[in-house]
Amino acid sequence: MAAAARYARRALRRERVFADRKNPLEIFDETELIRKYRFPSWAILQLTDVLEQSIAHRSRRSAAVPALLQVCLTLRYLASGSFQDAVGEHLGLHQTTVSRSFHRVLDALVEIGPRYIRRPSQEEAQLQKRLFRDIAGIPDVFAAIDCTHIKIKAPTENEHEYINRKNTFSINTQAACDADLMIIDCVARFPGSVHDARILRESGLFRAMERHPRAINGIILGDSGYPIREWLLTPFPTPQGNAEGNFNNAHVLTRNVIERCFGVAKKRFYALQIGYRLDPETACKAIYSCFVLHNIAMALKVPLVGDNDIDEDMENELVMPNVHYQPNGLENVPERAKTEAGKAVRHQIARTFFG
């Protein structure tokens, strides 16, 4: 009797119904794939091959989301900043499935990140020095560094509700790039109120350049929000004479590389402009993942195609003050010595090359 009852209950269970899942590679041409997913089909397949071992479902259930679709939905979300349920509907997936897959792919991208965001070798740095010097004449520069504020909107129970301005904050993201707009270092884990100098000090790049011998022999250009070092040159705060003024002008032109790098990354992944509706930890992973994908796209020479179906009304720039770095007078002797050494290098370059 008990066995018969169990059989009857199973017979009464409603049959599971799955939405038809769509494979974007079979639907869109290459231009449309780049517009929606930022990569052509061959690059999406290549990326899936890299990530598949980390994101493929261990079970053999027929309902498991294939690795290719997990990659596509993540690319679409990062590119558009749309709602997760909208991304899911586009691919025939429920929002909860999208969320689980999205987190899985983000973790995989963060894991492989160091393969694609890495400091150059000395030989690579020498090539970059020539490219940077061609811009405005500053010698020995192999990278430029800056911070950008990525807006975050705290998620709500109703994902379609616009978030009140007071619930919007930012992640202060630091990146350094070379003359080819390839990111060599990225830190995305601090709230927008944290000063640029502190983010630098807690980065792997700072530790590599401060140790003896240095990891790379050369100079990085930063704005006035950073401390000056022999390897990190900032502009003269109050230029005196033609040499210092000319140096500052060349500094602006050369350091513009990092601004262009941010511009390209934000155009490719528009959510970096309009903000994410994610908790802070996940948002930091998403930001870092965007810069990993930026490097992959740059290395593969994927063309930059705009996304015309984004709601422009959602974009509100988060204005943050540009705070200059100010020594507080309490630095220890080695710290003051490093500052003076950096000023000496800056003065020598200004006098020798811009006098």
Side-chain angles (χ1 to χ4, degrees):
M1 289 291 292
R6 285 197 299 271
Y7 178 80
R9 284 197 297 270
R10 282 198 298 269
L12 290 173
R13 287 175 183 166
R14 187 172 59 182
E15 182 180 357
R16 296 179 71 188
V17 178
F18 300 103
D20 291 333
R21 292 171 179 171
K22 302 172 184 178
N23 183 349
L25 275 59
E26 297 175 351
I27 300 173
F28 303 114
D29 61 26
E30 296 301 319
T31 300
E32 194 70 5
L33 281 172
I34 296 175
R35 191 176 75 83
K36 291 183 177 297
Y37 299 95
R38 301 309 191 253
F39 290 90
S41 59
W42 59 269
I44 294 174
L45 290 170
Q46 195 174 103
L47 181 60
T48 302
D49 286 343
V50 172
L51 299 175
E52 186 166 16
Q53 187 173 0
S54 298
I55 66 177
H57 290 275
R58 300 294 180 261
S59 68
R60 298 188 178 183
R61 296 180 303 168
S62 60
V65 181
L68 175 61
L69 285 191
Q70 295 185 60
V71 171
C72 285
L73 69 86
T74 302
L75 290 176
R76 182 58 183 159
Y77 183 82
L78 293 176
S80 67
S82 182
F83 297 104
Q84 290 185 3
D85 57 355
V87 172
E89 289 172 4
H90 183 70
L91 297 174
L93 298 168
H94 191 272
Q95 186 273 328
T96 55
T97 302
V98 171
S99 180
R100 287 194 297 268
S101 298
F102 175 64
H103 281 80
R104 190 178 295 116
V105 176
L106 284 190
D107 286 340
L109 286 170
V110 170
E111 183 181 351
I112 68 168
R115 297 189 211 171
Y116 300 96
I117 296 179
R118 61 174 184 83
R119 294 186 293 275
S121 65
Q122 190 61 53
E123 182 180 359
E124 292 168 332
Q126 291 302 119
L127 172 61
Q128 291 301 319
K129 290 179 185 181
R130 292 194 290 272
L131 295 176
F132 272 107
R133 185 163 184 172
D134 288 343
I135 296 174
I138 301 181
D140 217 26
V141 175
F142 71 90
I145 192 169
D146 201 1
C147 283
T148 184
H149 296 274
I150 310 299
K151 188 161 52 179
I152 305 300
K153 301 176 181 180
T156 61
E157 292 182 4
N158 183 350
E159 197 176 35
H160 287 292
E161 289 181 3
Y162 283 91
I163 311 302
N164 191 310
R165 180 76 175 181
K166 67 181 181 181
N167 292 328
T168 300
F169 59 100
S170 71
I171 301 296
N172 198 355
T173 302
Q174 176 182 275
C177 78
D178 63 22
D180 295 315
L181 307 188
M182 294 288 287
I183 294 169
I184 66 169
D185 188 77
C186 180
V187 181
R189 62 174 182 269
F190 291 95
S193 58
V194 174
H195 196 282
D196 296 359
R198 180 191 164 190
I199 299 174
L200 172 67
R201 291 179 187 280
E202 298 194 21
S203 69
L205 180 63
F206 182 83
R207 292 189 292 272
M209 296 302 291
E210 283 285 278
R211 70 171 180 245
H212 298 283
R214 287 194 199 107
I216 305 168
N217 179 27
I219 292 170
I220 300 173
L221 296 185
D223 65 16
S224 56
Y226 290 101
I228 189 169
R229 288 287 193 277
E230 288 180 288
W231 57 268
L232 176 59
L233 296 189
T234 59
F236 288 95
T238 52
Q240 304 293 322
N242 290 336
E244 294 184 5
N246 292 337
F247 173 86
N248 276 12
N249 292 336
H251 189 286
V252 170
L253 290 174
T254 308
R255 199 182 61 82
N256 183 254
V257 166
I258 185 63
E259 303 297 340
R260 289 194 288 119
C261 180
F262 284 144
V264 170
K266 289 182 178 183
K267 184 174 181 181
R268 179 168 276 125
F269 299 102
Y270 193 73
L272 292 176
Q273 291 188 48
I274 64 175
Y276 287 109
R277 292 172 181 79
L278 297 169
D279 64 85
E281 181 179 357
T282 305
C284 291
K285 292 179 182 179
I287 294 166
Y288 180 78
S289 295
C290 283
F291 287 115
V292 172
L293 292 168
H294 162 84
N295 271 12
I296 293 174
M298 295 296 292
L300 297 177
K301 302 187 185 307
V302 177
L304 194 60
V305 177
D307 193 337
N308 297 322
D309 60 3
I310 293 171
D311 183 1
E312 300 289 346
D313 293 334
M314 293 171 59
E315 182 177 0
N316 287 307
E317 290 297 328
L318 190 66
V319 179
M320 299 297 294
N322 183 19
V323 182
H324 290 201
Y325 176 77
Q326 293 288 349
N328 59 18
L330 301 176
E331 294 84 1
N332 55 34
V333 173
E335 182 74 11
R336 290 196 295 271
K338 291 175 183 178
T339 297
E340 293 304 315
K343 290 180 179 179
V345 170
R346 181 175 62 188
H347 178 73
Q348 181 181 8
I349 290 177
R351 182 182 58 189
T352 304
F353 295 94
F354 298 98

